[in-house]
Amino acid sequence: MSTAGPGVDTHEMVLIHRVIRREFGQLPRLLRSAADDRARSKAVGAHAREMLDFLHTHHTGEDELLFPLLRERAALDPQLMDRMDVQHTQINDAVAAVGAQLPAWTASADAAAGEQMAALIDATMPTLVDHLAEEEQELLPIVSVTLTQSEWDALGKHGMSAIPVTRRLVILGHITEEADDAERQRFMQVVPAPARLVYKLIGHRQFTRETAAIRG
Ligand SMILES: [Fe+2]
């Protein structure tokens, strides 16, 4: 049985996916650029850690709060749900493998270890890109009419609560970086007013400075 609401606005997931595509797409270049440069591996390593955590949280949120509801309500083709699970496992394995190597590399800037992680991310990108596109095209329209607003909101809260308070402004910068004006306004509506103000006053500058240094 469906408990469909009038149609939940799921567009914020598209903005989250843009962060994942953009940041993982350039991570191999950043890892390679820090070869034998320990000051740089410290900064790139921290950024990579943050993005691995961001992706991991995004997937665990879907595994725990989204996919079970879609299965329970038989909202989607079971084969598509199985494919989503397989893609999550493949991506999570790569995230875990990079995550395991990252602390030592962050400290050493070892060129071979950096290359190994970069190659693994490069090899995982096609699966990741396909997975995100399939979610956007096949899942989100169904999610919109299958989940209640509070069920959808729980997914956003799960993602937000996993981000350390001191990093939320920078993550907000990532999420809104490629958003057009309408998308930015729409997303900002779910951000508490005090945080919106602090982002405007200092957060955006912090995000711009930090990412410019990391991206080189
Ligand atoms: Fe997603």
Side-chain angles (χ1 to χ4, degrees):
M1 272 299 272
S2 167
T3 55
V8 172
D9 181 0
T10 60
H11 193 66
E12 67 186 63
M13 191 180 281
V14 175
L15 303 191
I16 304 289
H17 285 181
R18 280 184 203 157
V19 178
I20 295 169
R21 271 191 215 95
R22 184 183 67 237
E23 297 307 318
F24 280 89
Q26 63 185 334
L27 214 42
R29 175 179 69 80
L30 300 183
L31 290 163
R32 289 174 177 125
S33 77
D36 303 319
D37 179 346
R38 275 190 235 163
R40 190 149 171 74
S41 70
K42 207 172 154 200
V44 171
H47 174 64
R49 177 79 267 162
E50 186 159 60
M51 287 302 136
L52 290 172
D53 291 346
F54 187 78
L55 177 55
H56 180 71
T57 299
H58 182 65
H59 278 175
T60 54
E62 291 174 344
D63 292 341
E64 291 164 17
L65 299 169
L66 180 60
F67 293 176
L69 293 177
L70 295 175
R71 279 193 191 274
E72 189 184 295
R73 293 169 194 170
L76 282 164
D77 177 2
Q79 281 185 343
L80 173 65
M81 295 307 303
D82 290 346
R83 196 157 64 245
M84 289 281 136
D85 284 340
V86 170
Q87 288 167 337
H88 270 200
T89 302
Q90 286 172 353
I91 296 162
N92 290 348
D93 286 352
V95 165
V98 173
Q101 278 194 289
L102 197 59
W105 176 83
T106 302
S108 71
D110 180 73
E115 178 52 39
Q116 265 183 21
M117 292 188 295
L120 183 52
I121 295 168
D122 275 338
T124 309
M125 278 313 284
T127 303
L128 181 57
V129 167
D130 284 353
H131 171 67
L132 299 174
E134 199 163 10
E135 261 189 18
E136 290 171 18
Q137 287 154 22
E138 307 291 337
L139 247 84
L140 289 186
I142 305 295
V143 168
S144 168
V145 293
T146 303
L147 263 65
T148 63
Q149 187 65 49
S150 66
E151 286 167 344
W152 176 256
D153 291 345
L155 197 59
K157 281 188 195 124
H158 171 273
M160 185 55 79
S161 64
I163 302 166
V165 175
T166 53
R167 298 299 301 162
R168 287 186 188 167
L169 292 177
V170 170
I171 295 295
L172 187 55
H174 277 293
I175 293 170
T176 54
E177 182 175 20
E178 292 177 88
D180 65 25
D181 287 346
E183 287 175 325
R184 191 174 293 111
Q185 276 176 14
R186 214 158 133 194
F187 186 82
M188 284 301 193
Q189 281 170 8
V190 302
V191 176
R196 281 205 297 265
L197 181 63
V198 179
Y199 181 75
K200 209 170 155 187
L201 294 175
I202 57 168
H204 186 67
R205 210 172 316 141
Q206 186 190 350
F207 163 75
T208 307
R209 199 173 44 228
E210 190 178 302
T211 49
I214 289 166
R215 290 170 188 174

